[in-house]
Amino acid sequence: MTLAFTVLTIVAPVFALAAIGFAWVRLGLDYDTDFVSRLAMNLAVPCLVFVALAQGDIDPGAAGQVTLATLVTYGAMFAAFRVVCAVLRLDLRTYWAPLVFGNTGNLGLPLALLAFGQVGLGYAVVVFSVTAILQFTLGIWLVSGGGNPLRALREPMVGATLLGALFLWRGWAVPEVALSSLDLVGQMGIPLMLLTLGVAVARMRPQGVLRMGVLSALKVVICAGLALAVGLAFGLDDTALAVMVVQFATPVAVSSYLLAVRYGADAPPVAGLVVVSTVMSVGALPLILAAFV
């Protein structure tokens, strides 16, 4: 009973904020997704990422180890889902990237912070940063059939990641006034992302619920299993291992749907994956967290 209550206290605020965004749209109230998304991804989240790295709550060596483990896990996931797409005869442009990339930002960061504190958030930021860079390079290339991999260099989040990593590696201290200001701006990021997640889910319609349910279940099992195996192989500490598994077990990212729309892939099935996998995560993520808390 105590374990169940602990897990509930971790996941309840996350899904409560998403539920507010969902209800807001269902009540017919306006929500400027474009403005809020730009504010979050171009300002709040970069500040959050920089502060989490620059504060030095994680050891630079451990951060490097998590980065390598994350890259290896993604390599294994790309291979695994290429096989899944071939066996199930799924269109690669539509399904391959969405099955690989999880919602490590909107959902993964809040879960890591609530479950494992600032140290957990630091590890989660590392996984999220690698995810974002890969999704905006290799992911765009897969969805579009030839996107520009240099696009990632124009993303503020990438610059914040590199700068924060430099401060972490060199042990540089950020002036207290600047750090407090950046931290305050960064604190907007998680609530904004969760509200937008709920709004996005409310505006989507699932396509082929049964098929999407099977693919969503496969995603959770494959991603969490590979993350666990790679994390153990790298000898990650308990917190880093838990954060990696939780991050990779997150549902299909809303950004996968946006990229499908922008680059001409078959968007409705991706929207279905986002909706169904997000709903399934309400049950799956607490079970995974229960194994680590």
Side-chain angles (χ1 to χ4, degrees):
M1 188 65 181
T2 303
L3 178 60
F5 181 76
T6 300
V7 173
L8 180 63
T9 60
I10 293 169
V11 300
V14 172
F15 289 111
L17 273 171
I20 291 172
F22 184 92
W24 188 273
V25 169
R26 290 298 187 181
L27 290 172
L29 301 173
D30 290 335
Y31 189 94
D32 192 338
T33 302
D34 183 61
F35 167 73
V36 176
S37 297
R38 287 177 182 271
L39 179 63
M41 297 307 295
N42 293 330
L43 181 62
V45 175
C47 288
L48 176 71
V49 168
F50 174 77
V51 170
L53 291 173
Q55 275 186 322
D57 288 322
I58 58 174
D59 177 72
Q65 194 177 31
V66 171
T67 300
L68 289 175
T70 300
L71 288 170
V72 171
T73 303
Y74 269 118
M77 285 165 54
F78 272 113
F81 285 114
R82 179 63 179 84
V83 173
V84 169
C85 288
V87 171
L88 299 180
R89 298 181 181 179
L90 302 174
D91 179 61
L92 291 178
R93 284 186 61 196
T94 301
Y95 290 96
W96 195 4
L99 287 172
V100 170
F101 294 112
N103 205 336
T104 57
N106 299 56
L107 207 50
L109 295 182
L111 280 176
L113 176 61
L114 290 170
F116 309 107
Q118 287 297 325
V119 174
L121 177 62
Y123 287 129
V125 162
V126 172
V127 178
F128 168 61
S129 301
V130 174
T131 300
I133 292 171
L134 287 177
Q135 187 171 27
F136 283 100
T137 52
L138 183 56
I140 287 178
W141 183 80
L142 290 174
V143 172
S144 67
N148 182 3
L150 296 180
R151 174 187 173 85
L153 298 178
R154 302 196 299 268
E155 295 293 326
M157 191 278 301
V158 175
T161 300
L162 297 176
L163 187 61
L166 178 63
F167 271 72
L168 177 65
W169 173 54
R170 300 296 299 174
W172 293 339
V174 182
E176 190 62 34
V177 173
L179 188 64
S180 298
S181 300
L182 291 171
D183 185 41
L184 184 61
V185 175
Q187 287 177 24
M188 295 191 300
I190 286 175
L192 288 177
M193 287 190 295
L194 288 174
L195 288 171
T196 304
L197 172 63
V199 169
V201 170
R203 289 174 174 171
M204 293 177 182
R205 296 294 181 270
Q207 302 286 326
V209 175
L210 180 59
R211 168 183 265 195
M212 299 312 160
V214 171
L215 291 175
S216 298
L218 279 175
K219 176 173 172 56
V220 172
V221 172
I222 291 174
C223 293
L226 288 175
L228 179 62
V230 173
L232 290 173
F234 271 76
L236 299 182
D237 64 56
D238 291 344
T239 301
L241 178 63
V243 168
M244 264 198 61
V245 174
V246 170
Q247 281 283 61
F248 280 102
T250 52
V252 178
V254 176
S255 55
S256 292
Y257 170 71
L258 300 178
L259 291 178
V261 171
R262 182 166 183 175
Y263 291 98
D266 191 5
V270 181
L273 272 176
V274 173
V275 173
V276 175
S277 65
T278 300
V279 171
M280 289 181 63
S281 71
V282 177
L285 288 175
L287 290 177
I288 291 171
L289 277 171
F292 294 102
V293 298

